[in-house]
Amino acid sequence: MGHCFNVTPDSSTPLGGWWWKNSVQVTAYSYNNCGGGRISTRTAWIDTTSNWDFQVVGVH
């Protein structure tokens, strides 16, 4: 399942109300609403065994 989030470049964008676990793929696009070309893709492991309230995943 995928979803597109518009974020501000070079900043943090909290995505409250969403929960992920295990392996998550994050892709950055050059325009809003997942338009334009794909800039980069990163796969991150979301650690569900910790008691963190959040985890930062960066895409460059």
Side-chain angles (χ1 to χ4, degrees):
M1 179 173 112
H3 189 80
C4 185
F5 297 98
N6 292 320
V7 300
T8 303
D10 300 319
S11 70
S12 295
T13 304
L15 302 173
W18 287 86
W19 297 93
W20 295 276
K21 66 179 182 176
N22 301 327
S23 181
V24 174
Q25 188 175 45
V26 179
T27 303
Y29 291 88
S30 56
Y31 295 109
N32 281 341
N33 301 316
C34 298
R38 186 180 316 173
I39 296 172
S40 67
T41 298
R42 177 170 180 213
T43 301
W45 183 260
I46 306 302
D47 181 7
T48 58
T49 62
S50 72
N51 59 357
W52 300 341
D53 289 337
F54 67 93
Q55 185 169 335
V56 175
V57 176
V59 179
H60 304 279

